[in-house]
Amino acid sequence: MAFTVYLVRHGQTESNLKGQNQGWADTPLTLTGRRTAIETGKRLAHIPFTKAFSSDTGRAQATARLILAQNELTSLKQPIPLVYFREQYYGFFENVPYEQLWAAVLHHEGYRSLDKFLNHHDFNQTKDSFKRADPLSLAEDQYEFWSRLDRGLTYLRDHCQDGDKVLVTSHAETIGCLVQHYRPDLITKREQMPENGAVTKLVFTPNNVEVVYYNHYRTDQTY
Protein backbone atom coordinates (compact mmCIF):
# COMPACT_ATOMS: atom_id res chain seq x y z
CA MET A 1 0.00 0.00 0.00
CA ALA A 2 1.20 3.50 -0.81
CA PHE A 3 -0.43 6.90 -0.74
CA THR A 4 0.86 10.39 -1.52
CA VAL A 5 0.68 13.41 0.76
CA TYR A 6 1.04 16.98 -0.48
CA LEU A 7 2.10 18.81 2.66
CA VAL A 8 1.62 22.58 2.41
CA ARG A 9 2.64 25.37 4.75
CA HIS A 10 -0.16 27.86 5.38
CA GLY A 11 -0.18 31.28 3.73
CA GLN A 12 1.24 34.39 5.35
CA THR A 13 -0.56 35.50 8.52
CA GLU A 14 -0.73 38.79 10.39
CA SER A 15 1.76 37.44 12.93
CA ASN A 16 4.14 36.38 10.13
CA LEU A 17 3.93 39.90 8.72
CA LYS A 18 4.64 41.50 12.10
CA GLY A 19 7.56 39.20 12.86
CA GLN A 20 5.82 37.55 15.80
CA ASN A 21 6.42 34.00 16.89
CA GLN A 22 3.33 31.88 16.21
CA GLY A 23 2.69 28.33 17.31
CA TRP A 24 -0.71 27.45 18.74
CA ALA A 25 -1.65 31.14 18.72
CA ASP A 26 -3.61 31.99 15.61
CA THR A 27 -4.05 35.05 13.40
CA PRO A 28 -5.84 35.34 10.03
CA LEU A 29 -4.22 35.09 6.64
CA THR A 30 -3.21 38.40 5.16
CA LEU A 31 -4.27 39.36 1.64
CA THR A 32 -0.84 38.16 0.50
CA GLY A 33 -1.40 34.92 2.39
CA ARG A 34 -4.72 34.33 0.66
CA ARG A 35 -3.20 35.05 -2.75
CA THR A 36 -0.33 32.66 -2.04
CA ALA A 37 -2.77 29.89 -1.07
CA ILE A 38 -4.73 30.46 -4.28
CA GLU A 39 -1.56 30.29 -6.36
CA THR A 40 -0.55 27.10 -4.58
CA GLY A 41 -4.00 25.70 -5.36
CA LYS A 42 -3.54 26.48 -9.04
CA ARG A 43 -0.17 24.69 -9.07
CA LEU A 44 -1.84 21.64 -7.49
CA ALA A 45 -5.01 21.81 -9.61
CA HIS A 46 -3.94 18.81 -11.68
CA ILE A 47 -4.03 16.53 -8.63
CA PRO A 48 -7.37 14.78 -7.91
CA PHE A 49 -7.28 14.93 -4.13
CA THR A 50 -9.15 12.08 -2.48
CA LYS A 51 -8.69 13.31 1.09
CA ALA A 52 -7.87 16.62 2.75
CA PHE A 53 -6.66 17.31 6.28
CA SER A 54 -5.24 20.32 8.06
CA SER A 55 -3.94 21.49 11.36
CA ASP A 56 -6.88 22.69 13.43
CA THR A 57 -5.62 26.28 13.38
CA GLY A 58 -7.68 28.77 11.41
CA ARG A 59 -4.77 29.72 9.16
CA ALA A 60 -4.17 26.13 8.09
CA GLN A 61 -7.86 25.43 7.48
CA ALA A 62 -8.27 28.64 5.46
CA THR A 63 -5.26 27.73 3.33
CA ALA A 64 -6.69 24.27 2.61
CA ARG A 65 -10.08 25.68 1.60
CA LEU A 66 -8.46 28.11 -0.83
CA ILE A 67 -6.32 25.34 -2.35
CA LEU A 68 -9.31 23.01 -2.78
CA ALA A 69 -11.39 25.81 -4.33
CA GLN A 70 -8.95 25.96 -7.27
CA ASN A 71 -9.27 22.25 -8.00
CA GLU A 72 -11.95 20.96 -10.38
CA LEU A 73 -10.72 17.36 -10.07
CA THR A 74 -11.91 16.93 -6.49
CA SER A 75 -15.28 17.34 -4.82
CA LEU A 76 -13.61 18.16 -1.50
CA LYS A 77 -14.27 21.66 -0.18
CA GLN A 78 -13.27 21.45 3.47
CA PRO A 79 -10.32 19.78 5.20
CA ILE A 80 -10.73 17.60 8.26
CA PRO A 81 -8.98 19.56 11.05
CA LEU A 82 -6.55 17.59 13.23
CA VAL A 83 -4.71 18.81 16.31
CA TYR A 84 -1.81 16.48 15.46
CA PHE A 85 -0.53 18.75 12.68
CA ARG A 86 -0.40 21.95 14.71
CA GLU A 87 2.79 23.95 14.93
CA GLN A 88 5.05 23.52 17.92
CA TYR A 89 3.63 25.06 21.11
CA TYR A 90 5.91 27.88 22.32
CA GLY A 91 4.29 28.39 25.72
CA PHE A 92 5.29 31.75 27.22
CA PHE A 93 6.69 32.83 23.86
CA GLU A 94 3.46 32.48 21.87
CA ASN A 95 2.90 35.52 19.62
CA VAL A 96 5.89 37.47 20.92
CA PRO A 97 8.49 39.01 18.56
CA TYR A 98 11.04 36.58 17.19
CA GLU A 99 13.81 38.64 18.75
CA GLN A 100 12.39 38.18 22.24
CA LEU A 101 12.22 34.40 21.89
CA TRP A 102 15.74 34.06 20.52
CA ALA A 103 17.22 36.48 23.03
CA ALA A 104 15.79 34.35 25.86
CA VAL A 105 17.06 31.12 24.28
CA LEU A 106 20.57 32.44 23.64
CA HIS A 107 20.81 33.84 27.17
CA HIS A 108 19.63 30.61 28.76
CA GLU A 109 21.81 28.35 26.58
CA GLY A 110 24.91 30.55 26.89
CA TYR A 111 25.31 31.64 23.26
CA ARG A 112 26.11 35.14 22.03
CA SER A 113 25.36 34.42 18.36
CA LEU A 114 22.21 32.95 16.87
CA ASP A 115 24.25 31.58 13.96
CA LYS A 116 26.49 29.65 16.33
CA PHE A 117 23.49 28.34 18.23
CA LEU A 118 21.79 27.14 15.05
CA ASN A 119 25.00 25.51 13.84
CA HIS A 120 24.87 23.25 16.90
CA HIS A 121 21.11 22.66 17.23
CA ASP A 122 18.74 20.90 14.84
CA PHE A 123 14.94 21.12 14.97
CA ASN A 124 14.64 18.67 17.86
CA GLN A 125 17.44 20.11 19.96
CA THR A 126 16.00 23.60 19.49
CA LYS A 127 12.67 22.44 20.89
CA ASP A 128 14.39 21.33 24.06
CA SER A 129 16.07 24.74 24.26
CA PHE A 130 12.70 26.50 23.91
CA LYS A 131 11.37 24.39 26.78
CA ARG A 132 14.32 25.23 29.02
CA ALA A 133 14.12 28.96 28.24
CA ASP A 134 10.36 29.17 28.85
CA PRO A 135 9.86 30.71 32.33
CA LEU A 136 6.57 28.80 32.59
CA SER A 137 8.05 25.57 31.17
CA LEU A 138 5.00 25.21 28.92
CA ALA A 139 6.70 25.03 25.51
CA GLU A 140 6.78 21.61 23.85
CA ASP A 141 10.08 19.80 23.98
CA GLN A 142 10.96 17.30 21.26
CA TYR A 143 9.35 14.38 23.09
CA GLU A 144 6.03 16.19 23.54
CA PHE A 145 6.07 17.49 19.97
CA TRP A 146 6.86 14.13 18.37
CA SER A 147 4.36 12.27 20.55
CA ARG A 148 1.66 14.47 19.02
CA LEU A 149 3.01 14.41 15.46
CA ASP A 150 3.49 10.64 15.48
CA ARG A 151 -0.21 10.27 16.31
CA GLY A 152 -0.92 12.32 13.19
CA LEU A 153 1.21 10.06 11.01
CA THR A 154 -0.55 7.04 12.46
CA TYR A 155 -3.90 8.70 11.78
CA LEU A 156 -2.99 9.14 8.12
CA ARG A 157 -1.98 5.49 7.80
CA ASP A 158 -5.22 4.39 9.47
CA HIS A 159 -7.48 6.58 7.32
CA CYS A 160 -5.82 6.57 3.90
CA GLN A 161 -5.95 3.85 1.28
CA ASP A 162 -3.69 2.65 -1.49
CA GLY A 163 -3.46 5.28 -4.23
CA ASP A 164 -4.93 8.14 -2.20
CA LYS A 165 -3.74 11.64 -3.01
CA VAL A 166 -3.93 13.61 0.21
CA LEU A 167 -3.71 17.33 0.95
CA VAL A 168 -2.41 18.28 4.40
CA THR A 169 -1.93 21.92 5.39
CA SER A 170 0.35 22.53 8.33
CA HIS A 171 3.17 24.75 9.60
CA ALA A 172 6.84 25.54 9.01
CA GLU A 173 8.32 23.90 12.10
CA THR A 174 6.16 20.81 11.73
CA ILE A 175 7.02 20.34 8.06
CA GLY A 176 10.69 21.04 8.65
CA CYS A 177 10.88 18.46 11.44
CA LEU A 178 9.27 15.79 9.29
CA VAL A 179 11.62 16.40 6.38
CA GLN A 180 14.71 16.57 8.57
CA HIS A 181 13.69 13.25 10.14
CA TYR A 182 13.10 11.37 6.88
CA ARG A 183 15.50 13.23 4.52
CA PRO A 184 18.14 15.02 6.61
CA ASP A 185 20.13 15.76 3.47
CA LEU A 186 17.41 18.20 2.35
CA ILE A 187 17.64 20.34 5.50
CA THR A 188 21.17 20.76 6.74
CA LYS A 189 20.39 23.86 8.83
CA ARG A 190 17.35 24.66 10.94
CA GLU A 191 16.78 28.01 9.25
CA GLN A 192 15.98 26.25 5.94
CA MET A 193 12.26 26.55 6.67
CA PRO A 194 9.55 26.07 4.02
CA GLU A 195 8.10 29.22 2.50
CA ASN A 196 4.48 30.22 3.05
CA GLY A 197 2.40 28.18 0.60
CA ALA A 198 5.29 25.86 -0.24
CA VAL A 199 4.57 22.22 -1.11
CA THR A 200 6.43 19.18 0.20
CA LYS A 201 5.58 15.81 -1.38
CA LEU A 202 5.65 12.65 0.71
CA VAL A 203 4.95 9.04 -0.25
CA PHE A 204 3.81 6.79 2.60
CA THR A 205 4.67 3.11 2.18
CA PRO A 206 4.08 0.37 4.78
CA ASN A 207 7.52 0.78 6.33
CA ASN A 208 8.68 4.25 5.40
CA VAL A 209 7.93 7.84 4.45
CA GLU A 210 9.73 8.99 1.30
CA VAL A 211 10.29 12.72 0.80
CA VAL A 212 10.02 13.26 -2.96
CA TYR A 213 10.68 16.99 -2.81
CA TYR A 214 10.73 19.79 -0.24
CA ASN A 215 9.71 23.45 -0.26
CA HIS A 216 8.47 23.86 -3.82
CA TYR A 217 6.79 27.23 -4.26
CA ARG A 218 7.94 28.55 -7.64
CA THR A 219 6.16 28.13 -10.96
CA ASP A 220 9.26 26.54 -12.54
CA GLN A 221 9.26 23.64 -10.07
CA THR A 222 7.47 20.32 -10.48
CA TYR A 223 4.42 19.39 -8.38
Side-chain angles (χ1 to χ4, degrees):
M1 185 190 83
F3 60 91
T4 304
V5 171
Y6 295 85
L7 185 58
V8 181
R9 184 188 176 192
H10 63 79
Q12 183 195 68
T13 66
E14 292 180 2
S15 286
N16 294 154
L17 183 62
K18 295 175 182 177
Q20 295 175 328
N21 199 57
Q22 191 175 26
W24 288 11
D26 205 19
T27 55
L29 298 182
T30 62
L31 180 58
T32 295
R34 292 179 59 83
R35 287 173 176 167
T36 297
I38 290 170
E39 289 304 312
T40 300
K42 290 178 180 178
R43 289 195 285 275
L44 297 178
H46 63 288
I47 299 166
F49 290 116
T50 52
K51 291 182 174 65
F53 305 100
S54 74
S55 155
D56 63 345
T57 61
R59 61 192 186 273
Q61 294 183 65
T63 298
R65 288 194 295 269
L66 289 168
I67 290 172
L68 293 171
Q70 315 310 310
N71 196 311
E72 296 182 354
L73 301 181
T74 180
S75 60
L76 299 173
K77 301 300 179 186
Q78 299 280 350
I80 296 174
L82 299 171
V83 66
Y84 311 123
F85 295 107
R86 280 186 186 181
E87 184 62 290
Q88 175 181 355
Y89 182 49
Y90 294 102
F92 178 81
F93 300 109
E94 286 285 321
N95 240 8
V96 303
Y98 300 138
E99 292 82 1
Q100 182 179 337
L101 166 67
W102 287 115
V105 169
L106 295 179
H107 174 76
H108 191 276
E109 302 293 275
Y111 283 82
R112 294 185 178 181
S113 164
L114 179 57
D115 287 339
K116 288 184 178 180
F117 173 84
L118 293 176
N119 283 338
H120 292 89
H121 293 76
D122 63 15
F123 279 93
N124 289 319
Q125 294 165 329
T126 302
K127 286 175 175 49
D128 293 340
S129 296
F130 291 157
K131 181 80 167 186
R132 289 191 291 266
D134 184 349
L136 302 178
S137 197
L138 293 175
E140 287 182 315
D141 60 20
Q142 62 173 304
Y143 174 79
E144 293 166 319
F145 174 85
W146 273 102
S147 294
R148 174 169 57 81
L149 184 53
D150 278 337
R151 291 196 295 273
L153 302 182
T154 298
Y155 182 97
L156 291 180
R157 291 188 180 280
D158 289 344
H159 290 80
C160 294
Q161 300 174 337
D162 188 41
D164 270 344
K165 298 184 183 303
V166 185
L167 173 68
V168 178
T169 52
S170 187
H171 306 268
E173 186 88 22
T174 304
I175 296 168
C177 281
L178 275 172
V179 173
Q180 188 174 70
H181 181 75
Y182 290 106
R183 279 286 304 275
D185 59 299
L186 292 181
I187 301 182
T188 57
K189 294 183 179 181
R190 187 188 177 279
E191 58 263 40
Q192 294 172 316
M193 293 283 201
E195 299 289 332
N196 289 112
V199 182
T200 295
K201 184 178 179 179
L202 311 174
V203 175
F204 281 65
T205 58
N207 299 311
N208 193 30
V209 176
E210 175 192 354
V211 182
V212 180
Y213 59 73
Y214 169 63
N215 196 30
H216 281 201
Y217 60 93
R218 304 193 310 269
T219 54
D220 63 335
Q221 293 173 310
T222 58
Y223 290 89

